[in-house]
């Protein structure tokens, strides 16, 4: 198991609302966090996880998405802990800064998904006017899911996280532990293959 996987598992197993470790002052906790002390990661999550979650929930309006953002914030903070400079502010303020960036990423992903859905809807509307044999929208969704399931696992995971969980490619890289370039490659190849399959035997068959 890699260090990243260990960190993800640690965060997943920590209850967000657990009481904070009161024996450490904020400065001591921050020092241990930067030094790579797992116990300080857990203490930081206990102490400020609720704050991060609340900010995300208020901005996103979705509990599950706020939980995902909360985990992404602490993963990013842990990976980039060397960039925390105590002289510039507290650890909690630094975490809030990361939170705002992750919220912005989530909102951006949501906007891109809305644009994708709108574009797809517009395209299908045009085809419906050109051809009375346009498949039912429900059948289209079933066929898309069917074709998505045929993709290689890495491509399927990247596209599923992007389309269904509204994650950006950077967030997918954080979550999976894959390099950003690898995520982009899986997305590009997956979209190309999905498009080809849909044209050959799927929701776009009627265009031929």
């Amino acid at each position: 198991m890699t260090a990243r996987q260990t960190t993800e598992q640690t965060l997943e197993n920590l209850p967000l609302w657990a009481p904070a470790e009161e024996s450490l002052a904020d400065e001591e906790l921050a020092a241990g966090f930067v030094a790579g002390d797992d116990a300080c990661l857990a203490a930081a999550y206990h102490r400020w996880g609720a704050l991060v979650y609340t900010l995300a929930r208020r901005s996103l309006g979705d509990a599950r998405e706020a939980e995902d953002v909360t985990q992404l914030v602490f993963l990013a903070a842990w990976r980039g802990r060397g960039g925390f400079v105590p002289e510039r502010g507290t650890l909690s303020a630094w975490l809030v800064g990361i939170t705002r960036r992750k919220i912005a990423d989530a909102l951006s992903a949501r906007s891109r998904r809305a644009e994708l859905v709108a574009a797809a809807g517009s395209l299908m509307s045009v085809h419906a006017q050109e051809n009375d044999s346009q498949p039912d929208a429900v059948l289209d969704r079933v066929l898309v899911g069917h074709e998505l399931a045929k993709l290689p696992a890495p491509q399927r995971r990247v596209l599923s996280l992007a389309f269904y969980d509204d994650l950006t490619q950077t967030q997918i890289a954080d979550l999976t532990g894959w390099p950003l370039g690898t995520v982009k490659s899986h997305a590009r190849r997956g979209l190309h293959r999905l498009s080809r399959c849909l044209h050959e035997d799927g929701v776009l068959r009627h265009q031929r």
Side-chain angles (χ1 to χ4, degrees):
M1 181 177 292
T2 67
R4 187 195 304 273
Q5 290 171 328
T6 300
T7 301
E8 290 179 358
Q9 186 176 39
T10 297
L11 289 176
E12 288 175 355
N13 292 334
L14 287 175
L16 184 61
W17 312 108
E21 174 54 63
E22 299 296 341
S23 63
L24 291 177
D26 287 356
E27 295 77 8
E28 295 174 316
L29 193 159
F33 186 92
V34 173
D37 187 339
D38 289 345
C40 288
L41 167 62
Y45 189 76
H46 289 163
R47 189 169 298 184
W48 294 301
L51 170 63
V52 170
Y53 173 84
T54 299
L55 291 173
R57 179 67 185 272
R58 286 176 179 173
S59 297
L60 300 172
D62 183 270
R64 178 182 173 185
E65 196 171 8
E67 290 174 358
D68 291 340
V69 165
T70 299
Q71 184 173 8
L72 286 170
V73 166
F74 281 91
L75 283 172
W78 185 248
R79 290 177 57 204
R81 60 188 180 275
F84 171 66
V85 181
E87 292 77 12
R88 296 179 182 175
T90 63
L91 181 58
S92 59
W94 188 62
L95 290 171
V96 168
I98 296 175
T99 301
R100 298 194 187 283
R101 291 195 295 273
K102 294 301 181 183
I103 290 172
D105 286 344
L107 290 173
S108 178
R110 182 183 293 176
S111 297
R112 286 197 302 275
R113 184 182 181 190
E115 291 170 357
L116 177 64
V117 170
S122 177
L123 178 62
M124 295 185 70
S125 177
V126 170
H127 291 319
Q129 295 174 10
E130 295 176 347
N131 193 326
D132 292 336
S133 63
Q134 172 72 14
D136 182 84
V138 174
L139 177 58
D140 287 348
R141 290 195 294 271
V142 171
L143 289 173
V144 169
H146 179 68
E147 296 297 345
L148 186 63
K150 294 180 181 179
L151 297 179
Q155 296 174 15
R156 182 173 66 249
R157 187 178 186 193
V158 168
L159 294 184
S160 295
L161 288 172
F163 293 153
Y164 300 133
D165 293 336
D166 294 331
L167 297 186
T168 65
Q169 291 180 336
T170 299
Q171 290 174 324
I172 293 172
D174 287 339
L175 192 62
T176 62
W178 296 333
L180 181 58
T182 299
V183 171
K184 291 181 177 180
S185 178
H186 286 323
R188 183 175 61 253
R189 292 175 183 174
L191 285 171
H192 177 74
R193 184 166 179 173
L194 182 61
S195 176
R196 186 179 67 238
C197 290
L198 291 175
H199 276 85
E200 292 176 351
D201 187 25
V203 299
L204 300 180
R205 187 187 331 189
H206 59 282
Q207 293 184 45
R208 296 192 302 179

